[in-house]
Amino acid sequence: MKSAPWWKEATIYQIYPRSFFDSNGDGEGDLPGVTSQLDYVKNLGVDAIWLSPFYTSPNKDGGYDVANPRDVDPRFGNLDDAKELIAQAHKRNLRVIADIVPNHFSDQHEWFQAALKAGRGSKERERFHFYDANPDGTTPNNWISLFGGPSWTQVADGQFYLHLFDSSQPDLNWENPEVNADFEKTLRFWIDLGVDGFRIDVAHGLVKEDVLTNHPDPQGLSDALRLDVAMDSEVRNALLLTVPYFDRQGVHEIYRKWRKLFDSYGQREIMAVAEAWVHPPVNATRYVRADELHQVFNFDLLTAEFDSNVLFDVVERSISLNATVNALPTWALSNHDSPRVASRIGEEQARALALFVFGLPGSTYIFAGQELGLPDGQLQDSDRQDPTFFRTNGQIKGRDGARVPLPWSGDTTPFGFSTGKPWLPISQSWKDLTVESELANPKSSLHLYRNALELRKEFLVGAGGITWLESSQHGHKGDSLLSYSRGAITVVMNLSDSAVECDADGRLLIVSGGTVDARDGKKVIPARSTAWFLA
Ligand code: NOJ
């Protein structure tokens, strides 16, 4: 029997290279730093690493502003360092996923510099979205950037260019075949260098429609797209159906072409995962149709409350929608764009949710530091670097809190991350959250993750679908418990603030916090905790 492709139920560890490990004392993590810690990564029990961008970049948006997608930024090392990282990862049977950024380039990319020089009407400008101002001098349309402020910036000769993100990130014009040709070259470049897959940034944004048409409610739309702005869900959902620059049909044509390119590498099983924030949720499944990409992120758990109804809906919907295209879901509790899960829902809850999710079918993504139970870093405004902070005049604090470097060892900040001054300060209060200190503590979050991932591999990967035992629609305790069985394992999460009895059969394998007691033949699950039982 042919075994499932490596990515199908892989556990993938996201590394933000700037924050992982600094090998040269300049205060910023780098590729040799990642390489030096691969044993740590391997011992976690993950199957692959996803590296956030490390390409040549002025770093206005944490490297998602790429000036040369086929080279390494000196702050991270050089191409030989990338090759060595990949070789060392492969030696440990870890796959490597690179992050590709096709929606935009940096304004420092040679194409954009050439477009500025070549002027209006030139073929150089056709690689981007350059338009003349309206007769009254205003921007070509009223769209608002996802980082705040107008999504247009004017150049010296009066034309405007479109940027859905920072003004230093001009959007590429995917109607121009040169753009796809260049990206295919980039994909091949990294595959030939050894990478095993790609995370596709803003995968839903490449194709724009009606660029010269105003949106009826640009501020509402901008708020609806912003997860940190509270909004009635019906209003939000209605607005999200009107985004003129996301999830257009044309993006699927691009991924069909890319799939052929990936498949041409045969046995290497090159995979791609789409970052696609789309609405309604069923649209996400289009990215993982058989002839498109392999996975699409499910972002629901980045914002879901720790509530049994909410979590049941998220899990059930993701599994069933993906099933319609014969795909498996993905799960992520944190990433470099969102508050860390331990800060968002609480430390015990974060552990419980992780253990709950590790049992589910599909692929799990873990953001480096999540395994340590790190909270968001507490930063002063003077520390902040996220363009969102600057483009909203400080009204939105931005994503730096999740990007504070990892604490590795010792009793004093910066805890072995760097011999220099870290690019974001690491709080002294993280003393007990270092890798070293958690390795020495059998009850630490790190041990929970390591043990759980080992058990997941042994009992759950490839074990098929789940059967709900407790939820709002199953069992009797669905307000406080969520429970499913899968293969020989029963997973029970107690979301409430007191211990709850359950009927789970079998031997306790692991618990995320507290102690599971037995009472009158029943198991008692501690508050805010998840347990796995083996039948
Ligand atoms: C999504 C990335 O995850 C985020 O960090 C970045 O700012 C935007 N895309 C723009 O590239």
Side-chain angles (χ1 to χ4, degrees), residues 61 64 101 104 147 165 169 199 201-202 275 336-337 399 403:
D61 180 25
Y64 285 92
V101 191
H104 43 265
F147 288 167
F165 295 91
Q169 293 164 294
R199 178 261 188 193
D201 189 66
V202 201
E275 188 218 19
H336 64 294
D337 290 330
R399 303 159 293 178
R403 300 175 180 180

Side-chain angles (χ1 to χ4, degrees), residues 6 60 71 100 195 219 227 231 248 269 326 358 364 428 472 481 498 507 512 535:
W6 70 267
K60 296 265 178 62
D71 203 353
I100 188 160
V195 310
Q219 189 57 53
L227 299 174
M231 193 183 277
R248 303 294 102 187
E269 296 184 330
N326 209 14
F358 289 163
T364 295
Q428 182 56 35
S472 49
L481 296 183
S498 40
R507 172 169 74 81
S512 69

Side-chain angles (χ1 to χ4, degrees), residues 82-121:
K83 282 187 208 154
E84 177 65 7
L85 194 170
I86 296 166
Q88 290 298 329
H90 286 169
K91 208 165 134 192
R92 291 164 178 77
N93 202 19
L94 287 169
R95 311 276 177 151
V96 180
I97 296 176
D99 207 324
I100 188 160
V101 191
N103 181 65
H104 43 265
F105 275 156
S106 157
D107 60 0
Q108 299 308 305
H109 189 284
E110 60 180 12
W111 276 12
F112 192 75
Q113 290 299 314
L116 289 182
K117 283 203 198 86
R120 67 159 41 77

Side-chain angles (χ1 to χ4, degrees), residues 3-12 259 271-274 281 284-290 293-299 314-332 357-365 456 460-466 486:
S3 61
W6 70 267
W7 45 267
K8 197 89 192 173
E9 291 208 62
T11 308
I12 296 165
R259 178 61 182 254
M271 67 82 80
V273 52
T285 62
R286 296 189 185 155
Y287 293 76
V288 286
R289 287 178 289 199
L293 302 175
H294 305 76
Q295 294 182 346
V296 58
F297 283 120
N298 163 16
F299 294 115
V314 165
V315 170
E316 182 58 18
R317 185 172 61 218
S318 190
I319 292 178
S320 53
L321 285 180
N322 276 285
T324 63
V325 285
N326 209 14
L328 289 178
T330 60
W331 310 105
V357 159
F358 289 163
L360 293 170
S363 218
T364 295
Y365 286 76
R456 171 183 152 88
L460 289 160
V461 170
I466 65 170
R486 183 171 182 227

